[in-house]
Amino acid sequence: MKRMLAWLYAPLVFAGFIGAGVWWMSAGPASASGLLGVFGAALGVSFLAEWCLPYEPGWNRSQGDRLRDSLHALVNESLNALGLLALPGLVALLAHDGLWPQGWPLWGQLLLAIVIADCGITLAHYASHRLAWLWRLHAVHHSVQRMYGFNGLLKHPLHQLIEASAGLLPLVLLGIPLPVAQLLALAIAVQLLLQHSNVDMRLGPLRWIFAWAPVHRFHHMKYGRAGDVNFGLFFNLWDWLLGTAFYRDDYCMRQGDLGIGSRADYPVDYWPQLLEPFKAQRYGAEPVVPEQLRRRVRPASEA
């Protein structure tokens, strides 16, 4: 039974909860309140699966981070809600009439929105590992010492705003309807649960397509530039194009592999994390990269 759950978990959660959201928005007058219930159910399933089928049992134990993670989730999801409230005004102000395919079925419009947003968010994520001022904000997300579903919502609010803008602005210019944007917010929330999950899921060939936890864990390695891989939010396509796709099935991420290796003193509480990007940065030596995780990084002269 557990073996079957390991293979079916990610596809069923992804298709099931996002599909439930599409059904809800298609069944009658569009109401975002039901989408909150869908996400609440997805969150419950995520936590239950992590306890029943953990990838790393130690990651299920609190490291004094539950209140901090809850605050990050509350603040960032509230910002998302405010963004959705402002969306109709932004579309009316910035959109070019007739560009959005209003005649497509709702699921097709959502898929288009996911692909466009995924490209923008992935490029912003990639830039956050290349530009020092963006990295300071993004480092909050990389400071985690364990991976479980809630980690996807652990971001500095300013970095959340930058990533969201990179993903949403092209959609605003195209004139995305509010119900599609609400479904996109649900899809992103469900995907973040899967991407940072502590479930011991099996993906098979799907690992080359979807940026779920077995792939994304390598992005959270503490070994410096070795973790500059797998930037995609939904899909690995962008990483194949950027040359940053990486996966090893012979290495298991465990306790002690995650975090910012050169910042063992990175703050762990909520308010200090919000202030840290604006302080002088103090980096130590990078830990040695395990042999199985080494990959050739193309020098700038070859770019």
Side-chain angles (χ1 to χ4, degrees):
M1 183 64 181
K2 286 190 174 182
R3 182 177 178 82
M4 183 180 298
L5 176 61
W7 283 100
L8 295 178
Y9 176 74
L12 287 181
V13 167
F14 186 80
F17 287 106
I18 296 176
V22 172
W23 172 83
W24 173 263
M25 298 297 278
S26 303
S31 171
S33 59
L35 298 183
L36 293 177
V38 173
F39 176 65
L43 193 62
V45 168
S46 175
F47 287 153
L48 180 62
E50 287 178 337
W51 282 102
C52 293
L53 190 66
Y55 173 80
E56 167 54 74
W59 292 349
N60 281 339
R61 292 189 287 272
S62 172
Q63 299 179 0
D65 50 10
R66 284 180 178 158
L67 176 59
R68 177 203 68 193
D69 294 353
S70 298
L71 288 172
H72 274 293
L74 178 62
V75 170
N76 290 329
E77 286 301 289
S78 297
L79 290 175
N80 288 339
L82 289 174
L84 290 174
L85 289 175
L87 182 66
L90 292 174
V91 169
L93 182 65
L94 301 174
H96 298 276
D97 290 338
L99 291 181
W100 188 263
Q102 299 273 359
W104 287 17
L106 188 57
W107 66 265
Q109 295 184 52
L110 174 60
L111 179 58
L112 176 63
I114 286 175
V115 172
I116 293 173
D118 191 38
C119 180
I121 292 171
T122 298
L123 291 177
H125 190 183
Y126 179 81
S128 298
H129 284 247
R130 295 294 184 271
L131 302 177
W133 66 275
L134 273 177
W135 168 251
R136 288 186 175 209
L137 297 172
H138 185 49
V140 172
H141 180 67
H142 275 271
S143 66
V144 296
Q145 300 294 314
R146 64 180 181 128
M147 286 189 71
Y148 71 117
F150 238 20
N151 285 155
L153 301 174
L154 192 154
K155 299 179 181 181
H156 195 285
L158 291 179
H159 194 266
Q160 164 88 355
L161 179 62
I162 292 169
E163 276 195 342
S165 298
L168 191 58
L169 183 57
L171 297 172
V172 170
L173 296 175
L174 291 172
I176 184 174
L178 180 59
V180 181
Q182 291 168 335
L183 281 171
L184 175 62
L186 171 68
I188 290 174
V190 170
Q191 174 64 11
L192 287 173
L193 288 177
L194 287 170
Q195 192 176 57
H196 297 83
S197 174
N198 188 30
V199 175
D200 188 19
M201 60 183 79
R202 299 287 186 269
L203 301 185
L206 291 179
R207 70 179 181 270
W208 305 115
I209 302 172
F210 293 102
W212 290 332
V215 173
H216 191 68
R217 289 183 190 119
F218 291 102
H219 180 71
H220 280 266
M221 299 186 287
K222 70 178 183 180
Y223 307 108
R225 290 292 302 277
D228 285 355
V229 296
N230 304 340
F231 293 97
L233 173 58
F234 282 95
F235 306 115
N236 296 322
L237 168 64
W238 319 112
D239 284 294
W240 290 111
L241 295 176
L242 291 168
T244 54
F246 178 81
Y247 180 80
R248 294 293 299 265
D249 57 8
D250 60 347
Y251 189 88
C252 293
M253 287 285 166
R254 294 305 180 207
Q255 194 83 21
D257 277 327
L258 309 182
I260 305 174
S262 58
R263 282 298 310 273
D265 63 339
Y266 201 90
V268 296
D269 294 326
Y270 182 73
W271 289 110
Q273 285 192 344
L274 294 193
L275 297 174
E276 183 63 23
F278 308 103
K279 297 181 177 180
Q281 303 297 294
R282 308 171 305 279
Y283 292 98
E286 298 283 1
V288 177
V289 182
E291 183 64 34
Q292 302 98 308
L293 297 178
R294 293 181 182 176
R295 68 183 188 96
R296 182 174 181 268
V297 179
R298 185 172 57 174
S301 60
E302 296 182 19

